[in-house]
Amino acid sequence: MKIGLEVHVQLPTKSKLFCPCPTTDAPAPNTHVCPVCLGFPGARPMMNGKAIEYGILLAKMLGCTVRDTTWFARKIYFYPDNVKNFQITQYDRPLGEKGMYYLNGKKPIRITRIHIEEDPGKIKRVGDLSSLIDYNRSGIPLAEIVTEPDLSTPAEAREFLGQLIRDIRHTIDIPDDGERSIRCDCNISVGIERCEVKNVTGLKNVERALTYELVRQTKLLKAGGKVVRETRRFDEERGVTISVRKKELEADYGYIDEPDLGIFNVKELAERLKIKESPQNMTLRISKEYGIDERTAKQFVSTSVELAHLFEELAAATDAETARMWTSGAVSAGWKAFEARGGGDTAEVISLVGKFRAGEITDTECNIRIRAFLTGTDTDEVRSGSSDLDSMIGEYLDVNPSVIEDYRKNEKAANRVIGHVMKQTGGACSSADIVDATKRLIEERL
């Protein structure tokens, strides 16, 4: 089985790719439109330079070769959401080619190309078998990332896409919300011929669509049938793929160079743009540099890159093990509340952990003060709640000492205590506080 993905990323520009229309949510259908994105006669596109910058950053993150010059083409096809009857995209001179991206830092996934293109409009099917078309989306800037068929299973494709999305969002500062701004075309072949499932949104749906196709194509081949090269769509409610049309070949689109945009020399821009360390690379570096396991490093980075930075600052101020212990515990427990309050200077956390390491305060006192600082809660209030929680957990561990031995082999043994305490407290304490206190008290008894 071979799986390749075509990932469409909406670039976070303020205006569309070739006109000044805004990219924000429109108040009504067909309101964020103009003669350019509607393809009126005489209207000419004007390149949004910021989209080129975002594309180059992604190309460099994916290890692609960025060419010195690039240009656009007209991809000619007739479909109701494509009002001009052609889509402006890149064909024979994309922004980046021949990249390499590593799944979990180990498995190489070849990147065929990354190019920039405009989004078409959106068709909405209605109950009386007619369709409505909204052109607000026409001209929204997309980066399309095309992989070679190097993925082996639907689960692996989901894992790859999740990692890729995290790295993309960090590289070009896309907010974590709005998962539907990233769509995926899934290509899968069990035998010789492949099918493409268009416009799948969400990691879970990518895995579901590929799994359905895996089963469908396998059954078809076993029954002596033949897989037809075609484009299909995924019905999220029923969990099935449905044939849409025969898959076109590149030659069917009749590409011609876009005459209104010209050639873009991007060499100096590409040399000037620097990319940030991706979350995946940061995870691998932290694990190796500080000697902590990858799962813990990944937990820090996936929670927040700023939390991972704080871990490194703590390690510099104390040592890696002390930093790991406090970042996994009290700091992680209060981090969401800290970010919800706007985040800010974490020098107080570093100071408190430093005092604990110097023996100036106990671990309990350090834990209370960190939680109070991160959550913006009065210290006495945290101390009162912490005392009751610690007593409840301690009593359970006294009666069930086997938890300590089980925890040595598998940290999931703590779940027995956590489940018991959550039931006893009935929601009076946050789950993060219970997890933090449980792990802390168990590790004190190891």
Side-chain angles (χ1 to χ4, degrees):
M1 176 175 41
K2 294 181 179 178
I3 296 174
L5 301 179
E6 298 173 19
V7 185
H8 296 83
V9 183
Q10 181 178 330
L11 299 174
T13 58
K14 293 180 180 177
S15 58
K16 290 185 178 179
L17 189 53
F18 302 120
C19 67
C21 288
T23 55
T24 51
D25 290 340
N30 298 309
T31 50
H32 284 180
V33 292
C34 72
V36 174
C37 51
L38 287 178
F40 283 9
R44 290 189 168 184
M46 182 175 292
M47 188 69 214
N48 185 331
K50 198 67 182 174
I52 294 285
E53 289 187 17
Y54 286 135
I56 291 173
L57 288 171
L58 292 179
K60 295 178 81 167
M61 187 272 287
L62 294 165
C64 290
T65 299
V66 180
R67 295 194 182 222
D68 293 345
T69 58
T70 185
W71 55 78
F72 286 77
R74 292 183 177 184
K75 180 180 179 180
I76 300 168
Y77 66 95
F78 303 94
Y79 205 64
D81 63 358
N82 181 22
V83 69
K84 298 193 292 271
N85 288 331
F86 65 84
Q87 179 190 27
I88 301 179
T89 182
Q90 293 188 296
Y91 180 53
D92 54 352
R93 189 57 73 102
L95 265 184
E97 295 176 289
K98 299 178 180 178
M100 189 67 80
Y101 184 77
Y102 290 87
L103 176 60
N104 293 324
K106 299 180 180 72
K107 181 170 181 175
I109 306 296
R110 290 171 294 165
I111 304 298
T112 312
R113 56 188 278 146
I114 173 172
H115 64 260
I116 305 296
E117 64 183 25
E118 61 177 344
D119 212 352
K122 189 174 183 179
I123 298 176
K124 182 179 180 181
R125 314 287 180 188
V126 292
D128 60 355
L129 299 180
S130 57
S131 300
L132 303 174
I133 306 176
D134 180 5
Y135 291 112
N136 283 334
R137 207 173 69 179
S138 291
I140 293 288
L142 301 177
E144 181 173 344
I145 298 165
V146 182
T147 78
E148 293 292 311
D150 293 340
L151 296 161
S152 306
T153 67
E156 188 177 77
R158 175 178 180 170
E159 186 180 12
F160 166 79
L161 191 58
Q163 178 185 308
L164 180 65
I165 289 173
R166 283 193 295 276
D167 283 352
I168 288 172
R169 284 181 167 152
H170 180 71
T171 300
I172 57 175
D173 297 322
I174 297 179
D176 285 341
D177 56 355
E179 188 175 334
R180 286 183 181 272
S181 64
I182 297 178
R183 306 193 299 272
C184 192
D185 297 343
C186 308
N187 291 277
I188 177 172
S189 62
V190 174
I192 298 174
E193 198 54 89
R194 66 182 169 90
C195 290
E196 180 186 48
V197 186
K198 294 284 286 185
N199 292 330
V200 185
T201 55
L203 303 182
K204 185 178 178 182
N205 283 333
V206 166
E207 185 176 7
R208 290 173 69 209
L210 286 168
T211 301
Y212 180 85
E213 268 302 294
L214 165 64
V215 174
R216 185 188 72 83
Q217 292 185 24
T218 302
K219 285 184 176 178
L220 191 59
L221 293 173
K222 282 185 176 178
K226 184 179 178 182
V227 175
V228 179
R229 184 185 178 96
E230 62 182 352
T231 297
R232 303 176 71 87
R233 72 176 178 87
F234 182 59
D235 185 321
E236 294 183 13
E237 290 187 6
R238 294 191 294 155
V240 301
T241 67
I242 301 163
S243 179
V244 175
R245 60 181 182 271
K246 179 184 173 185
K247 178 64 180 169
E248 299 85 354
L249 300 174
E250 288 295 294
D252 296 330
Y253 289 111
Y255 286 96
I256 59 172
D257 289 345
E258 168 56 56
D260 292 331
L261 287 172
I263 297 173
F264 295 90
N265 296 299
V266 298
K267 181 180 179 181
E268 291 184 7
L269 178 63
E271 290 174 348
R272 190 171 72 246
L273 291 175
K274 306 298 180 188
I275 57 171
K276 296 182 284 187
E277 182 181 39
S278 71
Q280 175 60 20
N281 288 342
M282 189 178 196
T283 297
L284 297 173
R285 181 183 59 76
I286 284 179
S287 174
K288 183 178 180 181
E289 192 172 326
Y290 297 96
I292 63 174
D293 61 79
E294 280 188 27
R295 187 180 63 175
T296 302
K298 187 174 184 178
Q299 179 190 338
F300 294 163
V301 176
S302 60
T303 300
S304 165
V305 170
E306 284 69 31
L307 176 65
H309 284 314
L310 176 56
F311 162 77
E312 294 193 271
E313 290 176 21
L314 279 172
T318 58
D319 59 81
E321 179 53 25
T322 301
R324 182 205 63 77
M325 182 178 73
W326 285 101
T327 307
S328 298
V331 178
S332 287
W335 192 259
K336 284 187 178 178
F338 182 63
E339 287 191 327
R341 295 170 53 233
D345 189 357
T346 53
E348 177 67 11
V349 174
I350 297 170
S351 172
L352 287 168
V353 174
K355 287 180 180 177
F356 159 75
R357 190 165 180 266
E360 297 175 15
I361 58 175
T362 65
D363 61 340
T364 301
E365 183 64 19
C366 184
N367 182 65
I368 289 170
R369 291 197 198 180
I370 287 176
R371 286 164 57 193
F373 170 74
L374 293 176
T375 60
T377 310
D378 182 74
T379 307
D380 290 338
E381 187 178 336
V382 175
R383 184 176 287 112
S384 175
S386 176
S387 177
D388 295 341
L389 194 57
D390 285 7
S391 298
M392 193 177 298
I393 295 169
E395 289 172 7
Y396 185 88
L397 293 176
D398 290 341
V399 178
N400 301 278
S402 62
V403 173
I404 308 297
E405 291 308 311
D406 292 343
Y407 187 85
R408 292 181 193 276
K409 304 168 189 171
N410 187 344
E411 291 186 1
K412 289 185 178 178
N415 291 343
R416 286 169 56 193
V417 189
I418 293 166
H420 169 77
V421 175
M422 290 185 78
K423 189 180 294 182
Q424 294 296 314
T425 54
C429 299
S430 74
S431 57
D433 286 346
I434 294 172
V435 171
D436 176 36
T438 299
K439 290 187 175 181
R440 175 170 51 82
L441 291 174
I442 288 177
E443 290 184 3
E444 282 179 3
R445 298 188 182 203
L446 289 176

